[in-house]
mmCIF file of all heavy atoms in Angstrom:
data_model
loop_
_atom_site.group_PDB
_atom_site.id
_atom_site.type_symbol
_atom_site.label_atom_id
_atom_site.label_comp_id
_atom_site.label_asym_id
_atom_site.label_seq_id
_atom_site.Cartn_x
_atom_site.Cartn_y
_atom_site.Cartn_z
ATOM 1 N N ARG D 1596 29.457 9.471 -26.731
ATOM 2 C CA ARG D 1596 29.358 9.961 -28.046
ATOM 3 C C ARG D 1596 30.647 9.717 -28.804
ATOM 4 O O ARG D 1596 31.771 9.979 -28.325
ATOM 5 C CB ARG D 1596 29.113 11.505 -27.972
ATOM 6 C CG ARG D 1596 28.931 12.128 -29.358
ATOM 7 C CD ARG D 1596 28.851 13.627 -29.254
ATOM 8 N NE ARG D 1596 28.828 14.220 -30.579
ATOM 9 C CZ ARG D 1596 27.784 14.733 -31.110
ATOM 10 N NH1 ARG D 1596 26.612 14.770 -30.432
ATOM 11 N NH2 ARG D 1596 27.775 15.246 -32.348
ATOM 12 N N LEU D 1597 30.566 9.245 -30.001
ATOM 13 C CA LEU D 1597 31.702 8.997 -30.899
ATOM 14 C C LEU D 1597 32.410 10.314 -31.134
ATOM 15 O O LEU D 1597 31.804 11.312 -31.493
ATOM 16 C CB LEU D 1597 31.208 8.359 -32.173
ATOM 17 C CG LEU D 1597 32.227 7.583 -32.972
ATOM 18 C CD1 LEU D 1597 32.604 6.273 -32.247
ATOM 19 C CD2 LEU D 1597 31.711 7.278 -34.364
ATOM 20 N N PRO D 1598 33.769 10.385 -31.057
ATOM 21 C CA PRO D 1598 34.488 11.601 -31.331
ATOM 22 C C PRO D 1598 34.553 11.842 -32.823
ATOM 23 O O PRO D 1598 34.372 10.901 -33.612
ATOM 24 C CB PRO D 1598 35.875 11.375 -30.746
ATOM 25 C CG PRO D 1598 36.028 9.885 -30.736
ATOM 26 C CD PRO D 1598 34.691 9.286 -30.564
ATOM 27 N N GLU D 1599 34.794 13.060 -33.191
ATOM 28 C CA GLU D 1599 34.881 13.453 -34.584
ATOM 29 C C GLU D 1599 35.990 12.674 -35.285
ATOM 30 O O GLU D 1599 37.051 12.474 -34.721
ATOM 31 C CB GLU D 1599 35.154 14.955 -34.686
ATOM 32 C CG GLU D 1599 34.248 15.634 -35.743
ATOM 33 C CD GLU D 1599 34.521 17.127 -35.887
ATOM 34 O OE1 GLU D 1599 34.615 17.774 -34.793
ATOM 35 O OE2 GLU D 1599 34.756 17.562 -36.979
ATOM 36 N N GLY D 1600 35.721 12.241 -36.493
ATOM 37 C CA GLY D 1600 36.728 11.522 -37.296
ATOM 38 C C GLY D 1600 36.643 10.006 -37.089
ATOM 39 O O GLY D 1600 36.955 9.240 -38.031
ATOM 40 N N ALA D 1601 36.119 9.554 -35.947
ATOM 41 C CA ALA D 1601 35.994 8.119 -35.725
ATOM 42 C C ALA D 1601 34.781 7.571 -36.405
ATOM 43 O O ALA D 1601 33.721 8.226 -36.590
ATOM 44 C CB ALA D 1601 35.898 7.833 -34.207
ATOM 45 N N ASP D 1602 34.861 6.291 -36.917
ATOM 46 C CA ASP D 1602 33.721 5.698 -37.552
ATOM 47 C C ASP D 1602 33.538 4.219 -37.124
ATOM 48 O O ASP D 1602 32.832 3.451 -37.739
ATOM 49 C CB ASP D 1602 33.767 5.840 -39.043
ATOM 50 C CG ASP D 1602 35.075 5.187 -39.677
ATOM 51 O OD1 ASP D 1602 35.822 4.586 -38.898
ATOM 52 O OD2 ASP D 1602 35.296 5.402 -40.882
ATOM 53 N N ALA D 1603 34.269 3.809 -36.091
ATOM 54 C CA ALA D 1603 34.094 2.424 -35.610
ATOM 55 C C ALA D 1603 34.671 2.351 -34.202
ATOM 56 O O ALA D 1603 35.456 3.240 -33.723
ATOM 57 C CB ALA D 1603 34.853 1.444 -36.511
ATOM 58 N N VAL D 1604 34.229 1.277 -33.477
ATOM 59 C CA VAL D 1604 34.779 1.116 -32.118
ATOM 60 C C VAL D 1604 35.401 -0.276 -32.042
ATOM 61 O O VAL D 1604 34.828 -1.291 -32.472
ATOM 62 C CB VAL D 1604 33.658 1.231 -31.041
ATOM 63 C CG1 VAL D 1604 34.086 0.743 -29.708
ATOM 64 C CG2 VAL D 1604 33.165 2.668 -30.989
ATOM 65 N N LEU D 1605 36.592 -0.315 -31.518
ATOM 66 C CA LEU D 1605 37.328 -1.577 -31.306
ATOM 67 C C LEU D 1605 37.116 -2.025 -29.898
ATOM 68 O O LEU D 1605 37.326 -1.188 -28.943
ATOM 69 C CB LEU D 1605 38.838 -1.201 -31.577
ATOM 70 C CG LEU D 1605 39.804 -2.384 -31.583
ATOM 71 C CD1 LEU D 1605 39.479 -3.379 -32.668
ATOM 72 C CD2 LEU D 1605 41.235 -1.795 -31.825
ATOM 73 N N MET D 1606 36.713 -3.211 -29.777
ATOM 74 C CA MET D 1606 36.401 -3.689 -28.344
ATOM 75 C C MET D 1606 37.676 -3.904 -27.608
ATOM 76 O O MET D 1606 38.726 -4.299 -28.191
ATOM 77 C CB MET D 1606 35.570 -4.981 -28.415
ATOM 78 C CG MET D 1606 34.120 -4.696 -28.904
ATOM 79 S SD MET D 1606 33.248 -6.172 -29.439
ATOM 80 C CE MET D 1606 32.646 -6.750 -27.899
ATOM 81 N N LEU D 1607 37.608 -3.569 -26.296
ATOM 82 C CA LEU D 1607 38.744 -3.706 -25.442
ATOM 83 C C LEU D 1607 39.542 -4.991 -25.529
ATOM 84 O O LEU D 1607 40.771 -4.964 -25.653
ATOM 85 C CB LEU D 1607 38.261 -3.528 -24.013
ATOM 86 C CG LEU D 1607 39.126 -2.730 -23.033
ATOM 87 C CD1 LEU D 1607 39.443 -1.353 -23.534
ATOM 88 C CD2 LEU D 1607 38.424 -2.657 -21.669
ATOM 89 N N GLU D 1608 38.797 -6.103 -25.610
ATOM 90 C CA GLU D 1608 39.414 -7.417 -25.636
ATOM 91 C C GLU D 1608 40.180 -7.666 -26.923
ATOM 92 O O GLU D 1608 40.879 -8.686 -27.005
ATOM 93 C CB GLU D 1608 38.433 -8.522 -25.291
ATOM 94 C CG GLU D 1608 37.058 -8.446 -25.967
ATOM 95 C CD GLU D 1608 36.011 -7.608 -25.190
ATOM 96 O OE1 GLU D 1608 36.366 -6.491 -24.859
ATOM 97 O OE2 GLU D 1608 34.851 -8.126 -25.089
ATOM 98 N N ARG D 1609 40.010 -6.812 -27.915
ATOM 99 C CA ARG D 1609 40.752 -7.031 -29.186
ATOM 100 C C ARG D 1609 42.024 -6.238 -29.252
ATOM 101 O O ARG D 1609 42.603 -5.973 -30.335
ATOM 102 C CB ARG D 1609 39.842 -6.633 -30.387
ATOM 103 C CG ARG D 1609 38.632 -7.475 -30.515
ATOM 104 C CD ARG D 1609 38.987 -8.900 -30.993
ATOM 105 N NE ARG D 1609 37.821 -9.762 -30.992
ATOM 106 C CZ ARG D 1609 36.954 -9.787 -32.008
ATOM 107 N NH1 ARG D 1609 37.109 -8.960 -33.059
ATOM 108 N NH2 ARG D 1609 35.938 -10.588 -31.948
ATOM 109 N N THR D 1610 42.445 -5.689 -28.085
ATOM 110 C CA THR D 1610 43.643 -4.757 -28.070
ATOM 111 C C THR D 1610 44.704 -5.323 -27.149
ATOM 112 O O THR D 1610 44.365 -6.085 -26.198
ATOM 113 C CB THR D 1610 43.257 -3.405 -27.652
ATOM 114 O OG1 THR D 1610 42.797 -3.427 -26.281
ATOM 115 C CG2 THR D 1610 42.146 -2.779 -28.497
ATOM 116 N N GLU D 1611 45.904 -4.866 -27.375
ATOM 117 C CA GLU D 1611 47.043 -5.202 -26.483
ATOM 118 C C GLU D 1611 47.664 -3.869 -26.172
ATOM 119 O O GLU D 1611 48.055 -3.132 -27.058
ATOM 120 C CB GLU D 1611 47.957 -6.125 -27.228
ATOM 121 C CG GLU D 1611 48.965 -6.834 -26.316
ATOM 122 C CD GLU D 1611 49.947 -7.625 -27.214
ATOM 123 O OE1 GLU D 1611 49.423 -8.362 -28.063
ATOM 124 O OE2 GLU D 1611 51.166 -7.464 -27.058
ATOM 125 N N GLU D 1612 47.829 -3.615 -24.824
ATOM 126 C CA GLU D 1612 48.340 -2.298 -24.430
ATOM 127 C C GLU D 1612 49.759 -2.080 -24.903
ATOM 128 O O GLU D 1612 50.589 -2.988 -24.856
ATOM 129 C CB GLU D 1612 48.295 -2.239 -22.916
ATOM 130 C CG GLU D 1612 47.866 -0.919 -22.390
ATOM 131 C CD GLU D 1612 47.654 -0.863 -20.818
ATOM 132 O OE1 GLU D 1612 47.120 -1.897 -20.324
ATOM 133 O OE2 GLU D 1612 47.969 0.166 -20.254
ATOM 134 N N THR D 1613 50.034 -0.860 -25.248
ATOM 135 C CA THR D 1613 51.438 -0.414 -25.514
ATOM 136 C C THR D 1613 51.745 0.837 -24.746
ATOM 137 O O THR D 1613 50.788 1.317 -24.013
ATOM 138 C CB THR D 1613 51.655 -0.091 -27.002
ATOM 139 O OG1 THR D 1613 50.772 1.092 -27.280
ATOM 140 C CG2 THR D 1613 51.209 -1.294 -27.898
#
Side-chain angles (χ1 to χ4, degrees):
Chain D
R1596 179 190 175 105
L1597 201 69
E1599 226 183 308
D1602 59 4
V1604 169
L1605 186 60
M1606 290 163 86
L1607 215 55
E1608 44 271 49
R1609 297 291 173 81
T1610 64
E1611 193 184 313
E1612 219 174 324
T1613 65

